[in-house]
Amino acid sequence: MESQARASVKYLPVSSDIPPLLQSCKKRQPIPINPTEAWQRFTRRTASRKQLKTALHARQNGLCVYCEITLDNSENQNIGSHFDHILPKEKHPTLTFDYDNLVLSCFATGGEIKADEQDTAPVSCGHAELKRTNNFHETLFIKPTDSNCEHYFSFELDGGAIPHAGLGSSDTDKAEHTLEVLNLNCLRLKRLREDTITQLYQIVSELHSDNDVLKRFLTLELQENKSFINARKQHVG
Ligand SMILES: [Zn+2]
């Protein structure tokens, strides 16, 4: 793997800092008989929901774990977030309350962007059709908790996310499958990424004669809570 490879699926190290209400629920129900119902019961409780959301938000630096968009910033249409099980709880009941199988993904449930003639499939990440319907190959799907997930993708100037050029054929297959399952090359995301990259290059070129100002600008723009942080790092880091 080459060091300049960057993530699209953002790496989340395994955490020992598990929200207590989630942990106690997992203790009570290590293998729920009806995972969907058990999960709904958990998230209906405001305290449980808030505690988990706060923990994941901090763990992910406020970014969607899949596309790296800012979750609570109106600059990105304020699309909200939902809890996503990386591997489906219906197929893996033991992972229903597993903190390392839980992430925040973009789009509040019910608040997804509607398709139109120009952008026929604007919904990505946890609510993308293939991910939402669990219609993917688990062995090919690159999980945010895979320690090497950050090595699979790179970003083009037009905003496209592609498998990193240094990958072998089986890793390229995994990257392509993951991009497809999460719909990470929808028009909406490509445009947002392209705008981010283009704007960065423009400002970097305007500031290139003043090294101190440029350094300060890049320090701010490469903070871990910035949308598309890994596309930023790849291009101007
Ligand atoms: Zn997303």
Short mmCIF file of all heavy atoms in Angstrom, two decimals, residues 152-194:
data_model
loop_
_atom_site.label_atom_id
_atom_site.label_comp_id
_atom_site.label_asym_id
_atom_site.label_seq_id
_atom_site.Cartn_x
_atom_site.Cartn_y
_atom_site.Cartn_z
N TYR A 152 -7.79 2.54 0.14
CA TYR A 152 -8.44 2.00 -1.05
C TYR A 152 -8.84 3.03 -2.11
O TYR A 152 -9.06 2.67 -3.25
CB TYR A 152 -9.70 1.24 -0.65
CG TYR A 152 -9.41 -0.14 -0.09
CD1 TYR A 152 -9.19 -0.33 1.27
CD2 TYR A 152 -9.34 -1.25 -0.92
CE1 TYR A 152 -8.93 -1.59 1.79
CE2 TYR A 152 -9.07 -2.51 -0.42
CZ TYR A 152 -8.88 -2.67 0.94
OH TYR A 152 -8.60 -3.91 1.44
N PHE A 153 -8.99 4.29 -1.71
CA PHE A 153 -9.63 5.25 -2.62
C PHE A 153 -8.76 6.48 -2.88
O PHE A 153 -7.96 6.87 -2.05
CB PHE A 153 -10.96 5.73 -2.03
CG PHE A 153 -11.86 4.60 -1.64
CD1 PHE A 153 -11.90 4.14 -0.33
CD2 PHE A 153 -12.65 3.95 -2.59
CE1 PHE A 153 -12.72 3.08 0.04
CE2 PHE A 153 -13.47 2.89 -2.23
CZ PHE A 153 -13.50 2.46 -0.91
N SER A 154 -8.96 7.06 -4.05
CA SER A 154 -8.43 8.40 -4.26
C SER A 154 -9.47 9.23 -5.01
O SER A 154 -10.47 8.70 -5.48
CB SER A 154 -7.07 8.36 -4.97
OG SER A 154 -7.18 7.68 -6.17
N PHE A 155 -9.18 10.51 -5.10
CA PHE A 155 -10.19 11.44 -5.62
C PHE A 155 -9.66 12.21 -6.81
O PHE A 155 -8.55 12.72 -6.80
CB PHE A 155 -10.62 12.42 -4.51
CG PHE A 155 -11.18 11.71 -3.32
CD1 PHE A 155 -10.39 11.43 -2.23
CD2 PHE A 155 -12.49 11.26 -3.33
CE1 PHE A 155 -10.88 10.74 -1.14
CE2 PHE A 155 -13.01 10.56 -2.25
CZ PHE A 155 -12.20 10.31 -1.15
N GLU A 156 -10.51 12.30 -7.84
CA GLU A 156 -10.10 13.00 -9.05
C GLU A 156 -10.53 14.47 -8.98
O GLU A 156 -11.38 14.84 -8.17
CB GLU A 156 -10.73 12.31 -10.25
CG GLU A 156 -10.25 10.86 -10.36
CD GLU A 156 -10.71 10.19 -11.63
OE1 GLU A 156 -11.93 10.06 -11.82
OE2 GLU A 156 -9.86 9.81 -12.44
N LEU A 157 -9.95 15.26 -9.87
CA LEU A 157 -10.26 16.69 -9.87
C LEU A 157 -11.74 16.97 -10.15
O LEU A 157 -12.28 17.97 -9.70
CB LEU A 157 -9.42 17.41 -10.94
CG LEU A 157 -7.94 17.62 -10.58
CD1 LEU A 157 -7.18 18.14 -11.79
CD2 LEU A 157 -7.80 18.58 -9.40
N ASP A 158 -12.39 16.06 -10.88
CA ASP A 158 -13.82 16.28 -11.16
C ASP A 158 -14.71 15.80 -10.01
O ASP A 158 -15.93 15.75 -10.14
CB ASP A 158 -14.22 15.58 -12.46
CG ASP A 158 -14.23 14.06 -12.34
OD1 ASP A 158 -13.84 13.52 -11.27
OD2 ASP A 158 -14.63 13.39 -13.31
N GLY A 159 -14.08 15.42 -8.88
CA GLY A 159 -14.86 15.01 -7.71
C GLY A 159 -15.16 13.53 -7.63
O GLY A 159 -15.74 13.06 -6.66
N GLY A 160 -14.77 12.78 -8.64
CA GLY A 160 -15.02 11.34 -8.64
C GLY A 160 -14.14 10.61 -7.62
O GLY A 160 -12.99 10.99 -7.40
N ALA A 161 -14.72 9.59 -6.98
CA ALA A 161 -13.93 8.72 -6.08
C ALA A 161 -13.62 7.44 -6.86
O ALA A 161 -14.51 6.83 -7.45
CB ALA A 161 -14.74 8.41 -4.83
N ILE A 162 -12.36 7.05 -6.86
CA ILE A 162 -11.94 5.88 -7.63
C ILE A 162 -11.06 4.96 -6.77
O ILE A 162 -10.48 5.40 -5.78
CB ILE A 162 -11.15 6.28 -8.91
CG1 ILE A 162 -9.94 7.14 -8.53
CG2 ILE A 162 -12.03 7.01 -9.90
CD1 ILE A 162 -8.95 7.33 -9.66
N PRO A 163 -10.95 3.66 -7.17
CA PRO A 163 -10.00 2.80 -6.46
C PRO A 163 -8.59 3.36 -6.64
O PRO A 163 -8.24 3.86 -7.70
CB PRO A 163 -10.14 1.46 -7.19
CG PRO A 163 -11.47 1.51 -7.86
CD PRO A 163 -11.68 2.95 -8.23
N HIS A 164 -7.79 3.28 -5.60
CA HIS A 164 -6.44 3.80 -5.68
C HIS A 164 -5.64 3.02 -6.73
O HIS A 164 -5.75 1.80 -6.84
CB HIS A 164 -5.75 3.70 -4.32
CG HIS A 164 -4.46 4.42 -4.28
ND1 HIS A 164 -3.27 3.78 -4.48
CD2 HIS A 164 -4.18 5.73 -4.10
CE1 HIS A 164 -2.29 4.69 -4.42
NE2 HIS A 164 -2.83 5.87 -4.18
N ALA A 165 -4.84 3.77 -7.50
CA ALA A 165 -4.12 3.17 -8.63
C ALA A 165 -3.14 2.08 -8.19
O ALA A 165 -2.81 1.18 -8.97
CB ALA A 165 -3.38 4.26 -9.40
N GLY A 166 -2.67 2.13 -6.94
CA GLY A 166 -1.68 1.16 -6.50
C GLY A 166 -2.25 -0.17 -6.03
O GLY A 166 -1.50 -1.05 -5.60
N LEU A 167 -3.58 -0.34 -6.13
CA LEU A 167 -4.18 -1.57 -5.61
C LEU A 167 -4.04 -2.74 -6.56
O LEU A 167 -4.01 -2.56 -7.78
CB LEU A 167 -5.68 -1.35 -5.36
CG LEU A 167 -6.11 -0.30 -4.33
CD1 LEU A 167 -7.63 -0.15 -4.36
CD2 LEU A 167 -5.64 -0.68 -2.93
N GLY A 168 -3.98 -3.95 -6.02
CA GLY A 168 -4.06 -5.15 -6.84
C GLY A 168 -5.49 -5.39 -7.28
O GLY A 168 -6.39 -4.66 -6.86
N SER A 169 -5.71 -6.42 -8.11
CA SER A 169 -7.04 -6.57 -8.70
C SER A 169 -8.11 -6.92 -7.67
O SER A 169 -9.24 -6.44 -7.76
CB SER A 169 -7.01 -7.60 -9.83
OG SER A 169 -6.71 -8.86 -9.31
N SER A 170 -7.79 -7.72 -6.66
CA SER A 170 -8.85 -8.08 -5.70
C SER A 170 -9.21 -6.88 -4.81
O SER A 170 -10.38 -6.69 -4.47
CB SER A 170 -8.45 -9.30 -4.85
OG SER A 170 -7.37 -8.98 -4.03
N ASP A 171 -8.22 -6.07 -4.47
CA ASP A 171 -8.52 -4.86 -3.69
C ASP A 171 -9.27 -3.83 -4.54
O ASP A 171 -10.13 -3.10 -4.04
CB ASP A 171 -7.23 -4.24 -3.14
CG ASP A 171 -6.74 -4.99 -1.90
OD1 ASP A 171 -7.54 -5.74 -1.31
OD2 ASP A 171 -5.56 -4.83 -1.54
N THR A 172 -8.94 -3.76 -5.83
CA THR A 172 -9.69 -2.87 -6.73
C THR A 172 -11.15 -3.29 -6.78
O THR A 172 -12.05 -2.44 -6.75
CB THR A 172 -9.07 -2.89 -8.14
OG1 THR A 172 -7.71 -2.47 -8.05
CG2 THR A 172 -9.82 -1.97 -9.09
N ASP A 173 -11.39 -4.62 -6.83
CA ASP A 173 -12.78 -5.11 -6.84
C ASP A 173 -13.51 -4.67 -5.57
O ASP A 173 -14.67 -4.26 -5.62
CB ASP A 173 -12.80 -6.65 -6.90
CG ASP A 173 -12.38 -7.17 -8.27
OD1 ASP A 173 -12.31 -6.36 -9.22
OD2 ASP A 173 -12.12 -8.38 -8.39
N LYS A 174 -12.81 -4.76 -4.44
CA LYS A 174 -13.44 -4.37 -3.18
C LYS A 174 -13.77 -2.87 -3.19
O LYS A 174 -14.86 -2.46 -2.78
CB LYS A 174 -12.50 -4.66 -1.99
CG LYS A 174 -12.34 -6.15 -1.72
CD LYS A 174 -11.32 -6.42 -0.65
CE LYS A 174 -11.87 -6.18 0.73
NZ LYS A 174 -10.93 -6.61 1.79
N ALA A 175 -12.83 -2.06 -3.66
CA ALA A 175 -13.06 -0.61 -3.70
C ALA A 175 -14.24 -0.29 -4.62
O ALA A 175 -15.12 0.51 -4.26
CB ALA A 175 -11.80 0.11 -4.18
N GLU A 176 -14.28 -0.93 -5.79
CA GLU A 176 -15.37 -0.66 -6.74
C GLU A 176 -16.72 -1.07 -6.16
O GLU A 176 -17.72 -0.36 -6.29
CB GLU A 176 -15.12 -1.40 -8.07
CG GLU A 176 -14.15 -0.64 -8.95
CD GLU A 176 -13.73 -1.43 -10.19
OE1 GLU A 176 -14.09 -2.61 -10.30
OE2 GLU A 176 -13.00 -0.83 -11.02
N HIS A 177 -16.73 -2.24 -5.51
CA HIS A 177 -17.97 -2.71 -4.91
C HIS A 177 -18.46 -1.73 -3.83
O HIS A 177 -19.64 -1.38 -3.78
CB HIS A 177 -17.76 -4.11 -4.31
CG HIS A 177 -19.02 -4.73 -3.78
ND1 HIS A 177 -20.07 -5.10 -4.60
CD2 HIS A 177 -19.41 -5.02 -2.51
CE1 HIS A 177 -21.04 -5.60 -3.85
NE2 HIS A 177 -20.67 -5.56 -2.58
N THR A 178 -17.55 -1.29 -3.00
CA THR A 178 -17.92 -0.39 -1.90
C THR A 178 -18.43 0.95 -2.44
O THR A 178 -19.43 1.48 -1.94
CB THR A 178 -16.70 -0.18 -0.97
OG1 THR A 178 -16.22 -1.47 -0.56
CG2 THR A 178 -17.08 0.64 0.26
N LEU A 179 -17.76 1.48 -3.46
CA LEU A 179 -18.22 2.75 -4.06
C LEU A 179 -19.63 2.60 -4.62
O LEU A 179 -20.47 3.49 -4.48
CB LEU A 179 -17.26 3.17 -5.19
CG LEU A 179 -15.86 3.64 -4.77
CD1 LEU A 179 -14.96 3.81 -5.99
CD2 LEU A 179 -15.94 4.94 -3.97
N GLU A 180 -19.90 1.43 -5.21
CA GLU A 180 -21.21 1.20 -5.81
C GLU A 180 -22.29 1.03 -4.73
O GLU A 180 -23.35 1.63 -4.79
CB GLU A 180 -21.15 -0.05 -6.70
CG GLU A 180 -22.41 -0.26 -7.51
CD GLU A 180 -22.46 -1.63 -8.18
OE1 GLU A 180 -21.44 -2.36 -8.14
OE2 GLU A 180 -23.54 -1.97 -8.70
N VAL A 181 -21.98 0.21 -3.74
CA VAL A 181 -22.96 -0.06 -2.67
C VAL A 181 -23.37 1.22 -1.96
O VAL A 181 -24.54 1.43 -1.65
CB VAL A 181 -22.38 -1.09 -1.66
CG1 VAL A 181 -23.25 -1.18 -0.41
CG2 VAL A 181 -22.22 -2.45 -2.30
N LEU A 182 -22.40 2.09 -1.73
CA LEU A 182 -22.67 3.33 -0.98
C LEU A 182 -23.04 4.50 -1.91
O LEU A 182 -23.31 5.60 -1.43
CB LEU A 182 -21.45 3.71 -0.13
CG LEU A 182 -21.07 2.70 0.96
CD1 LEU A 182 -19.73 3.06 1.59
CD2 LEU A 182 -22.15 2.62 2.04
N ASN A 183 -23.03 4.25 -3.22
CA ASN A 183 -23.36 5.29 -4.21
C ASN A 183 -22.51 6.55 -4.01
O ASN A 183 -23.01 7.68 -4.04
CB ASN A 183 -24.86 5.64 -4.13
CG ASN A 183 -25.35 6.36 -5.38
OD1 ASN A 183 -24.75 6.24 -6.45
ND2 ASN A 183 -26.42 7.12 -5.24
N LEU A 184 -21.21 6.33 -3.82
CA LEU A 184 -20.32 7.45 -3.49
C LEU A 184 -19.92 8.29 -4.70
O LEU A 184 -19.22 9.28 -4.55
CB LEU A 184 -19.07 6.94 -2.76
CG LEU A 184 -19.32 6.40 -1.35
CD1 LEU A 184 -18.03 5.85 -0.73
CD2 LEU A 184 -19.91 7.47 -0.44
N ASN A 185 -20.37 7.87 -5.88
CA ASN A 185 -20.12 8.70 -7.05
C ASN A 185 -21.40 9.28 -7.63
O ASN A 185 -21.50 9.53 -8.83
CB ASN A 185 -19.37 7.90 -8.13
CG ASN A 185 -17.87 7.91 -7.87
OD1 ASN A 185 -17.30 8.95 -7.56
ND2 ASN A 185 -17.25 6.74 -7.95
N CYS A 186 -22.39 9.50 -6.77
CA CYS A 186 -23.60 10.16 -7.25
C CYS A 186 -23.23 11.60 -7.63
O CYS A 186 -22.25 12.16 -7.14
CB CYS A 186 -24.70 10.13 -6.20
SG CYS A 186 -24.32 11.01 -4.68
N LEU A 187 -24.04 12.15 -8.51
CA LEU A 187 -23.77 13.49 -9.03
C LEU A 187 -23.62 14.52 -7.90
O LEU A 187 -22.73 15.38 -7.92
CB LEU A 187 -24.93 13.88 -9.95
CG LEU A 187 -24.71 15.02 -10.91
CD1 LEU A 187 -23.51 14.75 -11.81
CD2 LEU A 187 -25.96 15.24 -11.75
N ARG A 188 -24.49 14.40 -6.90
CA ARG A 188 -24.47 15.33 -5.78
C ARG A 188 -23.12 15.34 -5.08
O ARG A 188 -22.51 16.40 -4.88
CB ARG A 188 -25.58 14.93 -4.79
CG ARG A 188 -25.67 15.76 -3.53
CD ARG A 188 -26.75 15.20 -2.61
NE ARG A 188 -26.47 13.82 -2.24
CZ ARG A 188 -25.65 13.45 -1.27
NH1 ARG A 188 -25.03 14.36 -0.56
NH2 ARG A 188 -25.46 12.18 -1.00
N LEU A 189 -22.59 14.15 -4.74
CA LEU A 189 -21.31 14.08 -4.04
C LEU A 189 -20.15 14.50 -4.93
O LEU A 189 -19.22 15.16 -4.49
CB LEU A 189 -21.08 12.66 -3.51
CG LEU A 189 -21.83 12.30 -2.22
CD1 LEU A 189 -21.63 10.82 -1.89
CD2 LEU A 189 -21.38 13.18 -1.06
N LYS A 190 -20.22 14.10 -6.20
CA LYS A 190 -19.13 14.49 -7.11
C LYS A 190 -19.04 16.01 -7.23
O LYS A 190 -17.96 16.58 -7.19
CB LYS A 190 -19.36 13.88 -8.51
CG LYS A 190 -18.92 12.43 -8.60
CD LYS A 190 -19.06 11.88 -10.01
CE LYS A 190 -17.94 12.34 -10.92
NZ LYS A 190 -17.96 11.62 -12.22
N ARG A 191 -20.19 16.65 -7.34
CA ARG A 191 -20.20 18.12 -7.45
C ARG A 191 -19.64 18.77 -6.20
O ARG A 191 -18.86 19.72 -6.27
CB ARG A 191 -21.63 18.61 -7.68
CG ARG A 191 -22.08 18.50 -9.11
CD ARG A 191 -23.49 19.02 -9.20
NE ARG A 191 -23.99 18.94 -10.56
CZ ARG A 191 -25.27 18.91 -10.86
NH1 ARG A 191 -26.18 18.94 -9.90
NH2 ARG A 191 -25.68 18.85 -12.11
N LEU A 192 -20.08 18.27 -5.04
CA LEU A 192 -19.61 18.87 -3.77
C LEU A 192 -18.10 18.67 -3.62
O LEU A 192 -17.39 19.57 -3.19
CB LEU A 192 -20.35 18.23 -2.59
CG LEU A 192 -21.82 18.63 -2.40
CD1 LEU A 192 -22.48 17.76 -1.34
CD2 LEU A 192 -21.93 20.10 -2.02
N ARG A 193 -17.61 17.47 -3.97
CA ARG A 193 -16.17 17.21 -3.87
C ARG A 193 -15.39 18.09 -4.85
O ARG A 193 -14.38 18.68 -4.51
CB ARG A 193 -15.87 15.75 -4.22
CG ARG A 193 -16.00 14.80 -3.07
CD ARG A 193 -15.38 13.46 -3.44
NE ARG A 193 -16.14 12.37 -2.86
CZ ARG A 193 -16.93 11.55 -3.53
NH1 ARG A 193 -17.05 11.65 -4.85
NH2 ARG A 193 -17.58 10.61 -2.91
N GLU A 194 -15.92 18.19 -6.08
CA GLU A 194 -15.24 19.00 -7.09
C GLU A 194 -15.16 20.46 -6.63
O GLU A 194 -14.10 21.09 -6.73
CB GLU A 194 -15.99 18.92 -8.43
CG GLU A 194 -15.29 19.71 -9.53
CD GLU A 194 -16.07 19.69 -10.84
OE1 GLU A 194 -17.29 19.41 -10.82
OE2 GLU A 194 -15.45 19.97 -11.88
#
